[in-house]
Amino acid sequence: MELSVVIVNYKVRYFLELCLQSVQDALVDISSEIIVVDNASDDGSCQMVQQRFPIVNLIQNEENLGFSKANNIGVAQAQGKYVLILNPDTVVANDTFSKVLEYAKTQNNFGALGVKLIDGIGNFLPESKRGIPTPRVSFYKLFGKDVNKYYANHLNENESGKVDILVGAFMLMERNVYNEVGGFDETYFMYGEDIDLSYKILKKGLQNYYYSGTQVIHYKGESTVKDAKYLHYFVDAMKIFYTKHFSSNVFYDFMMSLGMKLWYVLKFLGFKRAKKLPQTPKNVLCLCAENDLIVQLQLVKSINKVVEFNNLNDIAQLKKTIIENQINEVVFDNNSMNYKEIVEMVSELKGNGLTFKINPKSTNYIIGSNSSETRGELIILG
């Protein structure tokens, strides 16, 4: 077997369904398996997997064991030469896996690989490629200074090459490498474990790579709810990584700890001040071939107007239609577009205040995320 895809899920039933559809489509010509490790979700995630994706190896934990331990459980059952750690709030293109495997096989001293991640409205996510978060680099990053070193800006987003640190939303490596470095450190419950694993791979003498030849949507806001609990986990992860790899002397350790506490307070106050923007009526353009979807969208209270467009080859006319009808949201029908076309269209149309939703094939909902800072949006149809 060539590839094992390991997905840890916690209470994102609809995003998981979307992810699994795209993963299945991308594995058609690859000897592979899909392993879902569920951390005691109570939202119907496991029932959905059992009913909709019976070939998936579903592991049901009785409690939330965290990201690290759950992934280690999944990889322990994997049979593929390569393992892919993948978040459940992602959408991969139909050729993503074939491309990354081909690239990985041609690289010298291969350790792990990450890809170009974009959020739900098409913006590049800079954490797709990062440098080593040394104490100095991390300290400056905490307060928004000198982020070039933190985000590995020696490569632009469309340039593949060597990087130090990858993000756990999408990490491909050989299974024996994962096992040789001990997998994810289970001291981390959430956040930081991907940095630690990337760094352990480097310390083993292997090289990590960023590959820009494919794009993957990561609905970051869905898995990263910005609240006090998030801040707590994030600061704890920084402390673990710093203590494990860079602890220096009492004074320096004190200053780093003080900086983390100050950052926590400032971020928490920022969350408290943040106000939810009022929802404005949507003018929706539907890229679809199903009249039934048009009818269902017209019944949604938050939608003001629905415009149909089905000529995917005429991008110029599509953009003109968006402007003329003051469109502020585009809905993609997966019954008439594959996931590669959807991902590419999100990237092509990004900007100008547009948001995007996907109607996964054979489902009665549209789903997406309007910001990498907020939770995703699900609208049940019919």
Side-chain angles (χ1 to χ4, degrees):
M1 183 179 296
E2 188 166 24
L3 178 63
S4 298
V5 181
V6 178
I7 302 170
V8 171
N9 176 71
Y10 182 64
K11 296 185 179 182
V12 287
R13 176 249 186 264
Y14 292 97
F15 280 97
L16 175 63
E17 183 173 18
L18 172 63
C19 175
L20 287 174
Q21 281 198 12
S22 72
V23 168
Q24 265 194 349
D25 289 354
L27 290 174
V28 170
D29 297 320
I30 298 172
S31 173
S32 59
E33 63 180 346
I34 305 171
I35 300 171
V36 171
V37 185
D38 184 80
N39 270 332
S41 300
D42 57 4
D43 63 347
S45 290
C46 293
Q47 294 90 329
M48 179 276 295
V49 173
Q50 291 168 336
Q51 293 170 8
R52 297 279 314 239
F53 305 95
I55 66 169
V56 168
N57 179 2
L58 174 64
I59 302 171
Q60 300 182 57
N61 293 329
E62 295 183 355
E63 60 180 308
N64 185 359
L65 300 179
F67 185 80
S68 295
K69 184 172 286 189
N71 269 301
N72 288 344
I73 290 171
V75 175
Q77 293 201 18
Q79 300 297 315
K81 177 182 178 180
Y82 291 89
V83 292
L84 173 69
I85 305 302
L86 185 69
N87 270 23
D89 55 350
T90 56
V91 179
V92 301
N94 295 61
D95 58 358
T96 288
F97 299 148
S98 59
K99 282 187 171 183
V100 296
L101 287 169
E102 181 181 2
Y103 183 84
K105 292 171 185 176
T106 62
Q107 303 311 306
N108 295 323
N109 212 29
F110 178 73
L113 176 148
V115 297
K116 180 179 179 180
L117 298 173
I118 59 175
D119 66 14
I121 54 175
N123 295 322
F124 173 67
L125 293 172
E127 61 268 26
S128 302
K129 52 181 182 62
R130 291 176 286 182
I132 298 173
T134 63
R136 181 181 295 275
V137 169
S138 298
F139 189 85
Y140 284 137
K141 168 63 172 60
L142 287 177
F143 299 98
K145 305 291 184 181
D146 193 22
V147 297
N148 285 336
K149 292 181 180 178
Y150 186 87
Y151 287 126
N153 286 341
H154 66 286
L155 296 175
N156 66 51
E157 64 182 83
N158 296 315
E159 184 179 8
S160 302
K162 297 177 181 179
V163 295
D164 293 322
I165 305 298
L166 303 172
V167 63
F170 188 111
M171 291 183 74
L172 175 80
M173 67 204 78
E174 290 191 16
R175 181 163 54 91
N176 64 351
V177 171
Y178 186 98
N179 291 328
E180 285 172 11
V181 300
F184 285 114
D185 185 340
E186 296 181 6
T187 309
Y188 300 88
F189 182 81
M190 180 183 260
Y191 308 118
E193 62 284 298
D194 48 1
I195 298 175
D196 187 86
L197 179 59
S198 298
Y199 194 57
K200 289 192 296 185
I201 291 173
L202 292 177
K203 290 171 71 175
K204 183 177 172 59
L206 300 176
Q207 181 61 59
N208 297 325
Y209 291 87
Y210 166 74
Y211 176 65
S212 64
T214 187
Q215 297 182 102
V216 170
I217 297 175
H218 180 208
Y219 296 111
K220 182 182 174 183
E222 184 61 25
S223 58
T224 313
V225 183
K226 298 300 181 66
D227 57 13
K229 184 179 289 188
Y230 151 77
L231 292 176
H232 173 74
Y233 285 137
F234 189 82
V235 170
D236 275 358
M238 288 193 300
K239 288 179 180 177
I240 294 169
F241 184 78
Y242 171 75
T243 302
K244 181 177 179 180
H245 297 291
F246 293 106
S247 187
S248 179
N249 57 61
V250 174
F251 175 76
Y252 204 80
D253 292 351
F254 172 76
M255 293 302 295
M256 285 298 297
S257 178
L258 184 64
M260 291 177 194
K261 290 178 180 177
L262 177 60
W263 178 85
Y264 179 97
V265 171
L266 292 174
K267 286 291 185 180
F268 181 76
L269 292 175
F271 292 165
K272 296 288 284 185
R273 288 193 297 267
K275 296 181 180 179
K276 187 175 181 180
L277 296 175
Q279 189 178 42
T280 57
K282 296 175 181 177
N283 294 331
V284 170
L285 183 141
C286 182
L287 286 169
C288 60
E290 297 289 335
N291 290 330
D292 184 52
L293 179 56
I294 296 290
V295 173
Q296 292 184 70
L297 289 172
Q298 290 171 335
L299 297 176
V300 177
K301 291 182 180 180
S302 61
I303 294 178
N304 179 52
K305 176 174 66 174
V306 180
V307 176
E308 182 180 1
F309 192 93
N310 51 33
N311 186 359
L312 299 181
N313 296 319
D314 195 343
I315 300 298
Q317 183 58 44
L318 171 60
K319 292 181 177 180
K320 182 180 179 181
T321 302
I322 289 173
I323 294 172
E324 289 178 344
N325 290 275
Q326 298 181 317
I327 299 297
N328 46 26
E329 181 155 286
V330 177
V331 173
F332 303 108
D333 177 17
N334 180 225
N335 291 290
S336 55
M337 299 177 66
N338 64 40
Y339 285 110
K340 180 180 180 181
E341 291 171 331
I342 291 172
V343 173
E344 290 177 346
M345 194 64 74
V346 168
S347 183
E348 175 70 29
L349 298 178
K350 70 178 180 180
N352 301 311
L354 285 176
T355 58
F356 304 97
K357 299 292 182 294
I358 299 174
N359 173 224
K361 56 190 172 187
S362 304
T363 66
N364 67 332
Y365 61 86
I366 59 174
I367 191 168
S369 176
N370 298 343
S371 167
S372 60
E373 301 296 321
T374 58
R375 295 298 296 264
E377 183 180 13
L378 168 74
I379 298 176
I380 303 295
L381 302 171

